[in-house]
Amino acid sequence: MRLKKYVDSVYLKKCGIITNIKFEEDHILTSTSIIDTKLKFVGFQSISEIEDYFFITFVTDENFIIPKKHVEDISALRNLLKEIAEKRRIDFISELDWKWK
C-alpha cells in the first residue's frame, strides 16, 4: 500500500503528459508541453526491462520510465538501450516475466 501512495503522489501529475524522446551521442533529450530535459548517460546507474516498461535508473536512484505501449519499435529501442549500457559499462537487466505483487 505504501508503494501505491508513493506512486500516486510522485507520478499522478505526470500521467497523460506526452513526452517526446530523442537519443543523442551522450544524452537523451526529452520534450513535453511544459519542460525540456537533457538526461546524460553518465548519470545512468542501470537500465531494466520488464514486460511492459523500460526503466532507466540514475545514480540518484530516480527512474525514467518508458512504457512500451507507446514505443513504435520496441526491438530497436531495446537494442539502443543495450548499446548504451554496454558503452557506459552498466547493467542491462531483462526480467520479462517479472510481475507486480
Side-chain angles (χ1 to χ4, degrees), residues 6-20 30-35 37 39 58 62-65 67 70:
Y6 171 77
V7 170
D8 286 349
S9 70
V10 174
Y11 294 104
L12 193 59
K13 292 177 185 174
K14 297 178 183 180
C15 289
I17 296 176
I18 296 172
T19 302
N20 295 303
T30 67
S31 178
T32 71
S33 59
I34 57 173
I35 192 167
T37 306
L39 308 170
F58 297 95
E62 295 173 292
N63 286 285
F64 182 71
I65 304 167
H70 298 294

Side-chain angles (χ1 to χ4, degrees), residues 40-46 56-63 90:
K40 295 181 180 183
F41 297 160
V42 70
F44 290 13
Q45 179 175 310
S46 66
I56 299 172
T57 303
F58 297 95
V59 294
T60 57
D61 286 330
E62 295 173 292
N63 286 285
I90 60 172

Side-chain angles (χ1 to χ4, degrees), residues 20-30 39 41 44 47 56 64 66 76-78 80-81 84:
N20 295 303
I21 303 169
K22 183 177 180 184
F23 288 84
E24 298 286 343
E25 180 73 25
D26 63 349
H27 61 275
I28 297 173
L29 292 175
T30 67
L39 308 170
F41 297 160
F44 290 13
I47 301 172
I56 299 172
F64 182 71
I66 304 172
L77 178 57
R78 179 183 299 111
L80 182 57
L81 292 172
I84 292 167

